[in-house]
């Protein structure tokens, strides 16, 4: 009988490539952990903008 194993991945850094890679691995079912510097963790956990963005034609 075959046993399915959920892969665990650790991504070092949360730059643009790390975040995109982690996102896609998460969609594929992997358990993803990001290893980041303490000040980067604080930056990524706060909201990016307080008001919704609007577009004008």
């Amino acid at each position: 009988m075959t046993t399915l194993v959920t892969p665990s991945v650790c991504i070092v850094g949360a730059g643009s490539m790390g975040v995109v890679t982690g996102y896609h691995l998460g969609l594929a079912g992997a358990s993803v952990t990001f290893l980041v510097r303490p000040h980067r963790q604080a930056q990524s956990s706060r909201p990016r903008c307080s008001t919704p963005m609007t577009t004008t034609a």
Side-chain angles (χ1 to χ4, degrees):
M1 177 172 252
T2 305
T3 304
L4 295 177
V5 178
T6 302
S8 296
V9 179
C10 180
I11 297 179
V12 179
S16 59
M17 291 306 297
V19 170
V20 169
T21 303
Y23 173 76
H24 285 284
L25 286 169
L27 287 178
S31 174
V32 180
T33 302
F34 291 92
L35 182 63
V36 296
R37 294 180 183 155
H39 75 278
R40 293 286 294 163
Q41 180 183 9
Q43 289 175 350
S44 64
S45 63
R46 65 186 163 119
R48 297 276 181 205
C49 78
S50 59
T51 58
M53 294 181 66
T54 58
T55 58
T56 57

